[in-house]
């Protein structure tokens, strides 16, 4: 690929009295939603143009029950779905301020949820968790239409074009070709044969499917530095990147795959409190933020826990907060310093010769009573 770039912080919220547990963007990149470990839901409008970038608070809601651990958008730009640690799935429309339950799996935890518009089956939710299954839920029928049995807990999901990838406990994974609708037709239950990463990762925390369909990625951590692997179809996993070093271990907490100037790219974040952009074909590091972790990372500090790519591929959304590995060791562990950071990615020549202001903007914890539709003079993506 031979690309080199730069990540620059252009906006951040103030550190709040909570840690974010889930985050999602709509397909247009105009609405960002997130949840915290205190059962609160938040909605921001994304104001993004050539000269500025900021998140504007819109509405706030409270989840009556469990903690939302995962979120996803849908074909409707204002509708999101979320799964919690009590087995509940909710539909939330923050614009209409509507929050309603979709279904509940008793005594289960929804670890990840994805939206899929399948040409044969229609719009559906795909979710996994402690039920040891990948479940397909038809939004048209309002019921489960199929399931895939897993040998253990499903930790993470990624749906991209015709492929679905699932990270499973004991460093296993599976890849499903969604072009074969027989696998997800009504009433079908099957057992999925999983593959192992070959101990490349001690535990899996995230996965991603490349938009090209040529690559699949897994990230996690364990002994030594946090690792990631790249998987080629019908080939063994290959070590791809390491976040941190042997004397400063760092897990990979989240990742997202995207296309960068017609090349496959991957963004990762982890406990080193750094964000990396990787070139896949030549396995190169295109950019990272901050450039040095020495002044930002200690064993007791916050971590980068979630990452999203804006549809324009020039904006990276990063969540900072309690390190998931620390929370696994201590259920009561909280940093109470959660915040959202927006990073501008510049590679080669900038669009139209313009660039973001280098000045960082932030807002406090004030509640906003504003609704969508304001600031219409700002260009939305």
């Amino acid at each position: 690929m031979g690309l080199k770039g730069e990540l620059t912080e252009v906006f951040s919220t103030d550190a709040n009295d909570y840690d974010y547990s889930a985050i999602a963007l709509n397909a247009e990149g105009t609405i960002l939603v997130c949840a915290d470990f205190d059962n609160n839901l938040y909605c921001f409008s994304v104001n993004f143009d050539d000269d500025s970038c900021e998140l504007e608070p819109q509405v706030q809601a409270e989840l009556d029950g469990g903690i939302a651990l995962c979120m996803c958008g849908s074909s409707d730009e204002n509708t999101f779905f979320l799964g919690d640690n009590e087995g509940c799935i909710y539909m939330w429309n923050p614009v209409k301020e509507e929050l309603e339950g979709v279904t509940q799996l008793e005594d289960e935890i929804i670890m990840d949820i994805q939206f899929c518009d399948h040409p044969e089956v229609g719009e559906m939710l795909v979710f996994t968790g402690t039920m040891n299954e990948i479940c397909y839920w038809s939004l048209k029928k309002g019921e489960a239409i199929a399931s895939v049995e897993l040998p253990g807990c499903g930790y993470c999901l990624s749906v991209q074009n015709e492929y679905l990838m699932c990270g499973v406990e004991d460093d296993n994974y599976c890849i499903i070709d969604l072009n074969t609708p027989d696998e997800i037709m009504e009433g079908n239950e099957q057992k999925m044969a999983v593959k192992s990463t070959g101990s490349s990762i001690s535990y899996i925390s995230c996965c991603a499917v490349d938009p090209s369909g040529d690559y699949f990625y897994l990230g996690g951590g364990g002994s030594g530095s946090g690792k990631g692997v790249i998987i080629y179809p019908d080939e063994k996993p290959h070590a791809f990147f390491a976040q941190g070093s042997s004397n400063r271990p760092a897990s990979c907490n989240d990742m997202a795959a995207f296309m960068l100037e017609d090349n496959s790219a991957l963004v990762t974040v982890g406990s080193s409190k750094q964000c990396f952009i990787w070139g896949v074909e030549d396995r190169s590091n295109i950019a990272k933020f901050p450039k040095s972790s020495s002044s930002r990372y200690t064993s007791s500090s916050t971590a980068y826990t979630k990452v999203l790519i804006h549809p324009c591929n020039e904006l990276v959304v990063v969540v900072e907060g309690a390190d998931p590995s620390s929370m696994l060791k201590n259920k009561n562990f909280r940093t109470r310093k959660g915040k959202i950071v927006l990073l501008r990615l510049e590679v080669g020549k900038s669009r139209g010769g313009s660039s973001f202001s280098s000045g960082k903007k932030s807002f406090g914890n004030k509640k906003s009573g504003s609704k969508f539709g304001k600031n219409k003079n700002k260009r939305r993506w």
Side-chain angles (χ1 to χ4, degrees):
M1 182 184 292
L3 294 176
K4 283 296 181 183
E6 184 174 352
L7 284 167
T8 306
E9 182 176 337
V10 292
F11 179 88
S12 73
T13 63
D14 289 342
N16 294 303
D17 294 332
Y18 40 77
D19 290 297
Y20 293 111
S21 58
I23 191 168
L25 272 168
N26 66 350
E28 291 77 13
T30 56
I31 301 176
L32 176 73
V33 296
C34 54
D36 67 23
F37 286 96
D38 294 321
N39 306 80
N40 297 307
L41 304 176
Y42 306 89
C43 175
F44 303 89
S45 63
V46 182
N47 300 322
F48 177 30
D49 58 27
D50 289 337
D51 300 314
S52 64
C53 179
E54 64 180 359
L55 297 179
E56 182 181 352
Q58 296 292 337
V59 296
Q60 183 173 330
E62 184 175 353
L63 193 62
D64 184 18
I67 299 169
L69 300 178
C70 48
M71 288 177 155
C72 68
S74 68
S75 59
D76 184 313
E77 65 176 354
N78 300 325
T79 300
F80 298 84
F81 293 92
L82 49 137
D84 72 9
N85 65 336
E86 295 184 354
C88 294
I89 294 177
Y90 297 88
M91 180 176 67
W92 184 33
N93 186 320
V95 178
K96 295 181 179 180
E97 298 189 42
E98 296 175 347
L99 178 65
E100 59 184 66
V102 174
T103 186
Q104 181 176 16
L105 285 70
E106 298 261 347
D107 301 321
E108 302 292 357
I109 299 173
I110 309 297
M111 298 293 291
D112 204 356
I113 188 169
Q114 297 287 320
F115 172 82
C116 178
D117 189 1
H118 195 278
E120 299 286 339
V121 182
E123 293 186 350
M124 62 180 180
L125 298 176
V126 184
F127 55 91
T128 191
T130 57
M131 72 287 297
N132 297 351
E133 290 180 334
I134 299 173
C135 300
Y136 301 95
W137 181 274
S138 170
L139 290 174
K140 181 179 180 179
K141 297 182 178 182
E143 61 183 14
I145 57 173
S147 63
V148 177
E149 183 181 347
L150 300 172
C153 177
Y155 286 159
C156 51
L157 288 170
S158 178
V159 178
Q160 188 82 259
N161 297 329
E162 68 268 30
Y163 290 105
L164 181 153
M165 186 178 193
C166 181
V168 189
E169 67 176 308
D170 295 330
D171 72 348
N172 294 315
Y173 69 94
C174 64
I175 299 172
I176 298 175
D177 186 349
L178 296 177
N179 278 322
T180 54
D182 289 343
E183 292 187 355
I184 50 178
M185 296 310 286
E186 185 172 354
N188 184 25
E189 296 183 6
Q190 59 179 319
K191 189 171 184 177
M192 174 58 63
V194 297
K195 298 181 180 180
S196 173
T197 63
S199 299
S200 297
I201 303 175
S202 299
Y203 65 87
I204 294 173
S205 57
C206 52
C207 64
V209 177
D210 194 85
S212 69
D214 294 332
Y215 309 103
F216 305 87
Y217 315 100
L218 288 168
S223 59
S225 59
K227 298 178 180 178
V229 298
I230 182 171
I231 299 163
Y232 303 89
D234 303 321
E235 291 187 26
K236 293 182 179 179
H238 297 271
F240 180 27
F241 64 84
Q243 291 204 166
S245 59
S246 57
N247 62 350
R248 180 168 286 177
S251 62
C252 175
N253 293 330
D254 200 13
M255 59 173 52
F258 65 108
M259 300 303 294
L260 184 61
E261 296 189 1
D262 297 323
N263 296 284
S264 295
L266 185 72
V267 57
T268 64
V269 295
S271 59
S272 64
K273 205 170 176 182
Q274 284 183 292
C275 177
F276 294 85
I277 305 292
W278 305 94
V280 176
E281 282 86 350
D282 57 5
R283 304 189 192 182
S284 64
N285 177 229
I286 297 174
K288 64 180 178 180
F289 177 86
K291 294 182 178 180
S292 173
S293 64
S294 59
S295 62
R296 294 177 63 98
Y297 173 65
T298 65
S299 59
S300 61
S301 71
T302 58
Y304 284 166
T305 61
K306 304 286 182 183
V307 67
L308 296 172
I309 288 288
H310 191 275
C312 74
N313 292 346
E314 294 181 3
L315 185 65
V316 183
V317 182
V318 176
V319 173
E320 181 179 329
D323 193 344
S325 59
S326 300
M327 298 181 69
L328 287 173
K329 297 174 184 177
N330 181 359
K331 293 183 179 181
N332 295 319
F333 177 78
R334 297 285 190 276
T335 64
R336 301 292 178 181
K337 296 179 181 179
K339 67 178 183 177
I340 301 172
V341 180
L342 302 184
L343 304 176
R344 166 76 187 274
L345 172 61
E346 293 183 285
V347 177
K349 188 177 180 180
S350 62
R351 185 182 65 241
S354 60
S355 61
F356 282 115
S357 169
S358 60
K360 181 177 66 175
K361 300 179 180 180
S362 63
F363 57 78
N365 295 333
K366 63 180 180 180
K367 294 183 179 179
S368 173
S370 60
K371 304 293 182 182
F372 291 100
K374 292 188 177 182
N375 299 322
K376 291 183 178 179
N377 60 317
K378 294 190 176 181
R379 178 173 156 198
R380 301 279 178 96
W381 291 76

Coordinates of all heavy atoms in Angstrom, one line a residue, residues 25-83:
L25 N -23.0 4.2 15.4 CA -23.3 5.3 14.4 C -24.4 4.8 13.5 O -24.5 3.6 13.2 CB -22.1 5.6 13.6 CG -21.1 6.7 14.1 CD1 -19.9 6.6 13.2 CD2 -21.7 8.1 14.0
N26 N -25.3 5.7 13.0 CA -26.2 5.4 11.9 C -25.4 5.3 10.6 O -24.3 5.8 10.5 CB -27.4 6.3 11.9 CG -27.0 7.7 11.5 OD1 -25.9 8.1 11.4 ND2 -28.0 8.5 11.2
A27 N -26.0 4.8 9.6 CA -25.4 4.6 8.3 C -24.9 5.9 7.7 O -23.9 5.9 6.9 CB -26.3 3.8 7.4
E28 N -25.6 7.0 7.9 CA -25.3 8.3 7.3 C -24.2 9.0 8.1 O -23.6 9.9 7.6 CB -26.5 9.1 7.3 CG -27.6 8.7 6.3 CD -28.4 7.5 6.8 OE1 -28.3 7.2 8.0 OE2 -29.1 6.9 5.9
G29 N -23.9 8.5 9.3 CA -22.9 9.1 10.1 C -23.4 10.4 10.8 O -22.5 11.2 11.2
T30 N -24.7 10.7 10.8 CA -25.2 11.9 11.4 C -25.6 11.8 12.9 O -25.8 12.8 13.5 CB -26.4 12.4 10.6 OG1 -27.4 11.4 10.6 CG2 -26.0 12.7 9.2
I31 N -25.8 10.5 13.3 CA -26.2 10.3 14.7 C -25.3 9.3 15.4 O -25.0 8.3 14.8 CB -27.7 9.8 14.8 CG1 -28.7 10.8 14.1 CG2 -28.1 9.5 16.2 CD1 -30.1 10.3 14.0
L32 N -24.9 9.7 16.6 CA -24.0 8.8 17.4 C -24.8 8.5 18.7 O -25.3 9.4 19.3 CB -22.7 9.4 17.7 CG -21.8 8.7 18.6 CD1 -21.1 7.5 17.9 CD2 -20.7 9.6 19.2
V33 N -24.9 7.2 19.0 CA -25.6 6.8 20.3 C -24.6 6.0 21.1 O -23.7 5.4 20.6 CB -26.9 6.0 20.0 CG1 -27.9 6.8 19.3 CG2 -26.6 4.7 19.3
C34 N -24.8 6.1 22.4 CA -23.9 5.3 23.3 C -24.7 5.0 24.6 O -25.7 5.6 24.9 CB -22.6 6.0 23.6 SG -22.8 7.7 24.2
A35 N -24.1 4.1 25.4 CA -24.7 3.7 26.7 C -23.6 3.7 27.7 O -22.4 3.5 27.4 CB -25.4 2.3 26.5
D36 N -24.0 3.8 29.0 CA -23.0 3.7 30.0 C -23.3 2.5 31.0 O -24.4 1.9 30.9 CB -22.8 5.0 30.8 CG -24.0 5.4 31.6 OD1 -24.8 4.6 32.0 OD2 -24.1 6.6 31.9
F37 N -22.5 2.3 32.0 CA -22.7 1.2 32.9 C -23.7 1.5 34.0 O -23.9 0.7 34.9 CB -21.3 0.8 33.5 CG -20.5 0.0 32.6 CD1 -19.5 0.6 31.8 CD2 -20.6 -1.4 32.4 CE1 -18.7 -0.1 31.0 CE2 -19.8 -2.1 31.5 CZ -18.8 -1.4 30.8
D38 N -24.2 2.7 34.0 CA -25.3 3.2 34.9 C -26.6 3.2 34.3 O -27.5 3.9 34.7 CB -24.9 4.5 35.5 CG -23.6 4.5 36.3 OD1 -23.5 3.5 37.1 OD2 -22.8 5.4 36.3
N39 N -26.8 2.4 33.2 CA -28.1 2.3 32.5 C -28.6 3.5 31.8 O -29.8 3.6 31.5 CB -29.2 1.8 33.5 CG -28.8 0.6 34.3 OD1 -28.1 0.7 35.3 ND2 -29.3 -0.6 33.9
N40 N -27.7 4.4 31.5 CA -28.1 5.6 30.7 C -27.8 5.5 29.2 O -26.8 4.8 28.9 CB -27.4 6.8 31.3 CG -27.8 7.1 32.7 OD1 -29.0 7.2 33.0 ND2 -26.8 7.3 33.6
L41 N -28.7 6.0 28.4 CA -28.5 6.1 26.9 C -28.3 7.5 26.5 O -29.0 8.4 27.0 CB -29.7 5.5 26.2 CG -30.0 4.0 26.6 CD1 -31.3 3.6 25.8 CD2 -28.9 3.1 26.3
Y42 N -27.4 7.8 25.6 CA -27.1 9.1 25.1 C -27.2 9.2 23.6 O -26.8 8.2 22.9 CB -25.8 9.6 25.6 CG -25.5 9.5 27.1 CD1 -25.0 8.3 27.6 CD2 -25.8 10.5 27.9 CE1 -24.8 8.1 29.0 CE2 -25.6 10.4 29.3 CZ -25.1 9.2 29.8 OH -24.9 9.0 31.2
C43 N -27.6 10.3 23.1 CA -27.7 10.5 21.6 C -27.0 11.9 21.3 O -27.3 12.9 21.9 CB -29.1 10.5 21.1 SG -29.3 10.9 19.4
F44 N -26.1 11.8 20.3 CA -25.5 13.1 19.8 C -25.7 13.2 18.3 O -25.8 12.2 17.6 CB -23.9 13.0 20.0 CG -23.5 12.8 21.5 CD1 -23.4 11.5 22.0 CD2 -23.3 13.8 22.3 CE1 -23.0 11.2 23.3 CE2 -22.9 13.6 23.6 CZ -22.7 12.3 24.1
S45 N -25.8 14.4 17.9 CA -25.7 14.7 16.4 C -24.3 14.9 16.1 O -23.5 15.6 16.8 CB -26.6 15.9 16.0 OG -26.1 17.1 16.6
V46 N -23.9 14.4 14.9 CA -22.5 14.6 14.5 C -22.4 15.7 13.5 O -22.9 15.6 12.3 CB -22.0 13.3 13.8 CG1 -20.5 13.4 13.4 CG2 -22.1 12.1 14.8
N47 N -21.9 16.8 13.8 CA -21.7 18.0 13.0 C -20.3 18.0 12.4 O -19.3 18.2 13.1 CB -21.9 19.3 13.7 CG -23.3 19.3 14.3 OD1 -24.3 18.9 13.7 ND2 -23.4 19.8 15.6
F48 N -20.2 17.7 11.1 CA -18.9 17.4 10.5 C -18.9 18.0 9.1 O -19.7 17.7 8.2 CB -18.8 15.9 10.4 CG -17.5 15.4 9.7 CD1 -16.4 16.1 9.7 CD2 -17.6 14.2 8.9 CE1 -15.2 15.7 9.1 CE2 -16.4 13.7 8.3 CZ -15.3 14.5 8.4
D49 N -18.0 19.0 8.9 CA -17.8 19.5 7.6 C -16.3 19.8 7.4 O -15.4 19.4 8.2 CB -18.6 20.8 7.4 CG -18.3 21.9 8.4 OD1 -17.2 21.9 9.0 OD2 -19.2 22.7 8.7
D50 N -15.9 20.6 6.4 CA -14.5 20.8 6.0 C -13.8 21.6 7.1 O -12.6 21.5 7.2 CB -14.4 21.5 4.7 CG -14.8 20.6 3.5 OD1 -14.7 19.4 3.7 OD2 -15.1 21.1 2.5
D51 N -14.5 22.4 7.9 CA -13.8 23.3 8.8 C -13.9 22.9 10.2 O -13.2 23.4 11.1 CB -14.4 24.7 8.6 CG -14.2 25.2 7.2 OD1 -13.1 25.0 6.7 OD2 -15.2 25.7 6.6
S52 N -14.9 22.0 10.6 CA -15.1 21.8 12.0 C -15.6 20.4 12.2 O -16.1 19.7 11.3 CB -16.0 22.8 12.7 OG -17.3 22.7 12.1
C53 N -15.6 19.9 13.5 CA -16.2 18.6 13.8 C -16.5 18.7 15.3 O -15.7 19.1 16.1 CB -15.2 17.5 13.6 SG -15.8 15.9 14.0
E54 N -17.8 18.3 15.6 CA -18.2 18.3 17.0 C -19.4 17.3 17.2 O -20.1 17.0 16.2 CB -18.5 19.7 17.5 CG -19.7 20.3 16.8 CD -20.0 21.7 17.3 OE1 -19.3 22.2 18.2 OE2 -21.0 22.3 16.7
L55 N -19.6 16.9 18.4 CA -20.8 16.2 18.8 C -21.7 17.1 19.6 O -21.2 17.8 20.6 CB -20.4 15.0 19.7 CG -19.5 13.9 19.1 CD1 -19.2 12.8 20.1 CD2 -20.2 13.3 17.8
E56 N -22.9 17.1 19.2 CA -23.9 18.0 19.9 C -24.9 17.1 20.7 O -25.6 16.3 20.1 CB -24.6 18.9 19.0 CG -25.6 19.8 19.6 CD -26.4 20.7 18.6 OE1 -26.0 20.6 17.4 OE2 -27.3 21.4 19.0
P57 N -25.0 17.2 22.0 CA -25.9 16.4 22.8 C -27.3 16.7 22.4 O -27.7 17.8 22.2 CB -25.7 16.8 24.2 CG -24.4 17.5 24.2 CD -24.2 18.2 22.9
Q58 N -28.1 15.6 22.2 CA -29.5 15.7 21.8 C -30.5 15.3 22.9 O -31.1 16.1 23.5 CB -29.8 15.0 20.5 CG -28.9 15.5 19.3 CD -29.4 16.9 18.8 OE1 -30.5 17.3 19.1 NE2 -28.5 17.6 18.2
V59 N -30.6 14.0 23.1 CA -31.5 13.5 24.1 C -30.8 12.4 24.9 O -29.8 11.9 24.6 CB -32.8 12.8 23.4 CG1 -33.6 13.9 22.7 CG2 -32.4 11.7 22.5
Q60 N -31.4 12.2 26.1 CA -30.9 11.2 27.0 C -32.0 10.3 27.5 O -33.2 10.8 27.7 CB -30.2 11.8 28.2 CG -29.5 10.9 29.2 CD -28.7 11.6 30.2 OE1 -28.2 12.7 30.0 NE2 -28.7 11.0 31.4
A61 N -31.8 9.0 27.6 CA -32.9 8.1 28.1 C -32.3 7.2 29.2 O -31.0 7.1 29.3 CB -33.4 7.3 26.9
E62 N -33.1 6.5 29.8 CA -32.7 5.5 30.9 C -33.2 4.1 30.5 O -34.4 4.0 30.2 CB -33.2 5.9 32.2 CG -32.7 5.0 33.4 CD -33.1 5.5 34.7 OE1 -33.7 6.6 34.8 OE2 -32.9 4.8 35.7
L63 N -32.3 3.2 30.6 CA -32.6 1.8 30.3 C -33.1 1.1 31.6 O -32.4 1.1 32.6 CB -31.4 1.0 29.8 CG -31.6 -0.3 29.1 CD1 -32.6 -0.2 27.9 CD2 -30.3 -0.9 28.7
D64 N -34.4 0.7 31.6 CA -35.0 0.1 32.8 C -34.6 -1.4 32.8 O -35.3 -2.3 32.2 CB -36.5 0.3 32.8 CG -37.1 -0.3 34.0 OD1 -36.4 -0.5 35.0 OD2 -38.4 -0.5 34.0
G65 N -33.5 -1.7 33.5 CA -33.1 -3.1 33.6 C -31.6 -3.3 33.6 O -30.9 -2.8 34.5
G66 N -31.1 -4.0 32.6 CA -29.7 -4.3 32.5 C -28.8 -3.2 31.9 O -29.3 -2.1 31.7
I67 N -27.6 -3.5 31.7 CA -26.6 -2.6 31.1 C -26.4 -3.0 29.6 O -26.2 -4.1 29.3 CB -25.2 -2.8 31.8 CG1 -25.4 -2.4 33.3 CG2 -24.2 -1.9 31.2 CD1 -24.2 -2.8 34.1
A68 N -26.6 -2.0 28.8 CA -26.4 -2.2 27.3 C -24.9 -2.5 27.0 O -24.1 -1.6 27.3 CB -26.9 -1.0 26.6
L69 N -24.6 -3.7 26.5 CA -23.3 -4.0 26.2 C -22.9 -3.9 24.7 O -21.8 -4.0 24.3 CB -23.0 -5.5 26.6 CG -23.2 -5.8 28.1 CD1 -22.9 -7.3 28.4 CD2 -22.2 -4.9 29.0
C70 N -24.0 -3.8 23.9 CA -23.7 -3.7 22.4 C -24.9 -2.9 21.8 O -26.0 -2.8 22.3 CB -23.6 -5.1 21.8 SG -25.0 -6.2 22.3
M71 N -24.5 -2.3 20.6 CA -25.5 -1.4 19.9 C -25.2 -1.6 18.4 O -24.1 -1.9 18.0 CB -25.4 0.0 20.3 CG -25.9 0.4 21.6 SD -25.6 2.2 21.9 CE -26.8 2.6 23.1
C72 N -26.2 -1.3 17.6 CA -26.0 -1.3 16.1 C -27.1 -0.4 15.5 O -28.2 -0.2 16.1 CB -26.1 -2.7 15.5 SG -27.7 -3.5 15.6
G73 N -26.8 0.1 14.4 CA -27.8 0.9 13.6 C -28.7 0.0 12.8 O -28.7 -1.2 13.0
S74 N -29.5 0.6 11.9 CA -30.4 -0.2 11.1 C -30.6 0.6 9.7 O -29.9 1.5 9.4 CB -31.7 -0.3 11.8 OG -32.4 0.9 11.9
S75 N -31.5 0.1 8.9 CA -31.8 0.8 7.6 C -32.5 2.1 7.8 O -32.4 3.0 7.0 CB -32.7 -0.1 6.8 OG -33.9 -0.4 7.4
D76 N -33.1 2.3 9.0 CA -33.7 3.6 9.3 C -32.7 4.4 10.1 O -32.1 4.0 11.1 CB -35.0 3.3 10.3 CG -35.7 4.6 10.6 OD1 -35.0 5.6 11.0 OD2 -36.9 4.6 10.5
E77 N -32.4 5.6 9.6 CA -31.3 6.4 10.1 C -31.5 6.8 11.6 O -30.6 7.2 12.3 CB -31.1 7.7 9.3 CG -32.3 8.6 9.3 CD -32.0 9.9 8.5 OE1 -30.9 10.1 8.1 OE2 -32.9 10.7 8.4
N78 N -32.8 6.7 12.1 CA -33.0 7.1 13.4 C -33.3 6.0 14.4 O -33.6 6.2 15.6 CB -34.3 8.0 13.5 CG -34.1 9.3 12.6 OD1 -33.0 9.8 12.5 ND2 -35.2 9.7 12.0
T79 N -33.2 4.7 13.9 CA -33.5 3.6 14.8 C -32.2 2.7 15.1 O -31.5 2.4 14.2 CB -34.5 2.7 14.1 OG1 -35.7 3.4 13.8 CG2 -34.9 1.5 14.9
F80 N -32.1 2.4 16.3 CA -30.9 1.6 16.8 C -31.4 0.4 17.6 O -32.5 0.5 18.2 CB -30.0 2.5 17.6 CG -29.4 3.6 16.9 CD1 -30.1 4.8 16.8 CD2 -28.1 3.5 16.3 CE1 -29.5 5.9 16.1 CE2 -27.6 4.6 15.6 CZ -28.3 5.8 15.5
F81 N -30.6 -0.6 17.7 CA -30.9 -1.8 18.5 C -29.8 -2.0 19.5 O -28.6 -1.7 19.2 CB -31.1 -3.0 17.6 CG -32.3 -3.0 16.7 CD1 -32.2 -2.5 15.4 CD2 -33.5 -3.4 17.2 CE1 -33.3 -2.4 14.6 CE2 -34.7 -3.3 16.3 CZ -34.5 -2.8 15.0
L82 N -30.1 -2.5 20.7 CA -29.1 -2.7 21.7 C -29.5 -4.0 22.5 O -30.6 -4.3 22.6 CB -29.0 -1.5 22.6 CG -30.3 -1.0 23.2 CD1 -30.1 -0.6 24.7 CD2 -30.7 0.3 22.5
G83 N -28.4 -4.6 22.9 CA -28.6 -5.8 23.8 C -27.9 -5.6 25.1 O -26.9 -4.9 25.2

